[in-house]
Amino acid sequence: TGPGVRVTLDDGADAGVQGSQVVDTDLRMVTNSLWASGAEAIAINGRRLSVRTAIRNAGDAVTVDYRSLTRPYVVEAIGDARALEDAFRTSEGGLWVEGLAHHYGVVWSIGRVNELSLLADPGLGVEQARRAR
């Protein structure tokens, strides 16, 4: 829990235009840029990310750890809210989504949040372990 930012992305109005739909690559750009900007924890639509999280397309759906998400996509990142927002806007991911908005009508926003609470990643359990030799 703590302060942070909320980035929201949604498809452009004309779904027939290639590039107007938010895809896995777009969400990976956003999350990687938030990590690089100092985020301590990140979730997409409530699904907590870890180093083992897969963000992929499956047909027309975007999945996080193979669970389909629905739009709009809400990315929440815990960390210094002002620093995260400022760094993200000029980061590769920030410039990426700004380009999507300008060229393809993708709708996005970023805002500071005083208190975020992100659930733990349910996939972090250890299934097999053995003593190191």
Side-chain angles (χ1 to χ4, degrees):
T1 62
V5 295
R6 182 175 292 128
V7 179
T8 304
L9 294 102
D10 203 355
D11 295 349
D14 188 354
V17 174
Q18 186 175 1
S20 69
Q21 290 183 311
V22 177
V23 296
D24 59 340
T25 303
D26 305 327
L27 291 173
R28 283 195 305 270
M29 289 292 287
V30 168
T31 57
N32 286 336
S33 290
L34 286 168
W35 287 124
S37 296
E40 299 170 21
I42 299 176
I44 303 174
N45 287 19
R47 303 281 313 164
R48 179 77 175 267
L49 306 185
S50 74
V51 296
R52 299 183 343 181
T53 302
I55 302 172
R56 300 280 186 262
N57 274 357
D60 288 336
V62 175
T63 67
V64 170
D65 280 341
Y66 310 104
R67 289 186 166 76
S68 294
L69 303 179
T70 57
R71 48 181 277 259
Y73 303 101
V74 179
V75 182
E76 295 177 316
I78 292 176
D80 181 314
R82 175 173 290 177
L84 279 174
E85 180 181 17
D86 291 347
F88 180 78
R89 287 186 183 279
T90 59
S91 72
E92 188 176 4
L95 298 173
W96 180 273
V97 294
E98 191 58 39
L100 291 174
H102 178 74
H103 296 290
Y104 305 109
V106 168
V107 179
W108 83 282
S109 64
I110 186 170
R112 298 177 196 165
V113 180
N114 290 331
E115 187 74 19
L116 291 170
S117 182
L118 307 182
L119 299 175
D121 178 1
L124 285 180
V126 177
E127 296 181 23
Q128 292 185 5
R130 60 185 162 119
R131 182 177 293 201
R133 296 183 197 258

